[in-house]
Amino acid sequence: MSGGIQEELRQFATRVLEHRGALVDWPVGTGAGTAVVPEEVAAAVGIDDDTIRLTDQPGGEGWCVSLGTDFLETAGRLLEAEPRTGSFAASRLYLKRGSLEEAVRRAFAWLNAKVVVRDTRATHVEYHTWWFRASLTSEDRWETRLAVTVNSATGVEIDLPDPLALWELEPRQVTGRKPPSTYPRAVARALPRVKAAAEDFFCRMDGRIERDRRRLREYYGALLREADHKKPRGGATPDPEKTAERKRAVELELRRKLAELDERYAIAGSLQPLVLIRTVLPAMAVDLSVQRKRASKRHTLYWNPLVRAIEPMCCGRCGNGIFSVAFTDDDVDPRCADCRR
């Protein structure tokens, strides 16, 4: 292997290990080095020691950094253990000023409560864009990638453009308290979209299993008819018990084959998170006072600078974004029309 490629591999291995918390001593131009690593890194590399010998010569002890070994596979395990998260901010977006009371009035219908706009203020909101890989495996395979963006403050899904395509985007250091997890909400929003996107796949699998079931029934139906009409050799009278036994055997075999077919066409699905993009955007917060019978509660809406509109509220039961809103009696939580019933 050329010296240039080997030096790039040495640098890559060093950066990966240091990123995972290791202390690496591998001078330039030398064929070996050492690294003091955390326990989980040693386990991923496959060495039962917190001190790892690094080398570019296959066949020796330690972790061999060479394309002639499983180096790339091992490095992949180290990288896969890292959360693929990017944190950014787009602070220079246009922010609508002034009262948004009229915009709220036009956008929302309050079905069973008195709602008053109390304040409008500038703020910042973090949006979580979860990228998923969805796959369905049966007699065939289907997969796709999709993104779900959730307002981390309200939990409502927002149809935002790809944040990584924003020219205003800047890297951001994440500090302070971690935001509430939006992963369960993102999964809940992604699953119906996967089902809709895979409709052709489901139809194709349904068509194939029905075709194969029909073929099996036709074949074993022919065997049953043959059992009814088959005559013993020598012209003897057919034995009804033996005929019934043959028919039971055929029916049992048909059921077994149909069960095998169901197992073959069973669909296994997976939804794997790939990347989380955390993007902080400026927003206008609209504070509401909601009065429902004797109970009251404060809710906040957000005017989003990317969609240039007020975002929907989030139904507290199903998680759908809603503009026609009912509120519960005691907790004054928002509900969509279906969940209100």
Side-chain angles (χ1 to χ4, degrees):
M1 185 180 300
S2 68
I5 294 177
Q6 188 58 54
E7 174 57 22
E8 290 180 6
L9 289 175
R10 186 195 68 81
Q11 293 177 10
F12 172 70
T14 300
R15 288 196 300 269
V16 169
L17 290 171
E18 289 178 343
H19 182 68
R20 294 299 307 275
L23 297 175
V24 182
D25 179 21
W26 194 352
V28 178
T30 62
T34 57
V36 180
V37 301
E39 181 179 348
E40 64 273 13
V41 174
V45 173
I47 296 177
D48 189 19
D49 196 343
D50 62 358
T51 300
I52 297 176
R53 182 175 183 272
L54 306 171
T55 177
D56 60 9
Q57 297 300 316
E61 295 182 356
W63 191 27
C64 181
V65 180
S66 170
L67 295 180
T69 66
D70 63 352
F71 165 69
L72 291 180
E73 179 182 345
T74 306
R77 290 199 297 269
L78 290 173
L79 294 173
E80 286 173 359
E82 283 292 290
R84 296 174 175 87
T85 302
S87 297
F88 304 91
S91 57
R92 290 178 288 174
L93 295 173
Y94 165 78
L95 195 59
K96 184 178 179 68
R97 300 292 180 177
S99 174
L100 292 170
E101 186 170 357
E102 179 61 21
V104 171
R105 188 189 66 80
R106 291 196 305 267
F108 287 88
W110 312 114
L111 301 180
N112 64 350
K114 180 182 178 181
V115 179
V116 178
V117 174
R118 293 298 184 187
D119 189 23
T120 301
R121 54 192 168 82
T123 187
H124 287 83
V125 179
E126 182 170 289
Y127 293 85
H128 294 175
T129 301
W130 290 91
W131 277 95
F132 294 99
R133 177 191 290 123
S135 64
L136 299 172
T137 304
S138 179
E139 193 268 343
D140 200 351
R141 181 177 176 84
W142 175 91
E143 64 178 15
T144 189
R145 289 184 298 171
L146 70 156
V148 175
T149 299
V150 177
N151 180 322
S152 68
T154 64
V156 70
E157 181 184 5
I158 305 297
D159 186 15
L160 288 187
D162 183 359
L164 296 182
L166 297 175
W167 67 267
E168 302 94 341
L169 207 66
E170 299 174 346
R172 178 177 67 98
Q173 288 293 115
V174 178
T175 58
R177 185 178 63 88
K178 293 182 64 177
S181 173
T182 54
Y183 178 71
R185 179 59 54 84
V187 170
R189 304 312 301 158
L191 289 176
R193 291 170 56 186
V194 171
K195 185 176 181 180
E199 183 177 357
D200 288 345
F201 174 79
F202 289 123
C203 290
R204 189 165 65 251
M205 292 302 99
D206 287 344
R208 289 185 184 180
I209 193 172
E210 286 304 318
R211 176 202 63 195
D212 290 350
R213 284 170 176 166
R214 185 173 61 254
R215 290 174 177 175
L216 282 174
R217 290 189 177 107
E218 289 174 352
Y219 174 73
Y220 284 96
L223 292 181
L224 287 172
R225 289 191 296 272
E226 181 181 342
D228 274 331
H229 296 91
K230 187 175 182 179
K231 295 182 179 180
R233 293 179 180 179
T237 303
D239 187 338
E241 291 187 3
K242 289 185 178 180
T243 300
E245 184 178 346
R246 284 197 298 270
K247 292 177 66 175
R248 284 195 299 271
V250 171
E251 290 168 351
L252 286 173
E253 183 66 10
L254 173 60
R255 287 198 291 269
R256 188 181 71 81
K257 289 292 186 180
L258 289 172
E260 288 181 355
L261 206 60
D262 289 340
E263 184 177 347
R264 175 184 170 189
Y265 280 97
I267 297 176
S270 70
L271 188 68
Q272 176 189 0
L274 299 175
V275 176
L276 168 61
I277 304 298
R278 299 172 57 177
T279 310
V280 172
L281 301 178
M284 291 299 293
V286 182
D287 296 322
L288 307 176
S289 175
V290 181
Q291 183 74 36
R292 169 62 180 161
K293 295 186 176 181
R294 296 183 180 181
S296 63
K297 189 175 183 178
R298 290 293 182 100
H299 287 281
T300 301
L301 303 173
Y302 294 94
W303 186 87
N304 186 300
L306 290 182
V307 299
R308 294 181 178 269
I310 293 179
E311 298 174 358
M313 295 191 83
C314 184
C315 176
R317 177 172 293 174
C318 69
N320 285 333
I322 50 176
F323 287 100
S324 184
V325 188
F327 294 91
T328 58
D329 292 343
D330 298 327
D331 299 328
V332 198
D333 282 339
R335 293 288 188 270
C336 68
D338 291 335
C339 294
R340 178 190 180 188
R341 300 189 182 99

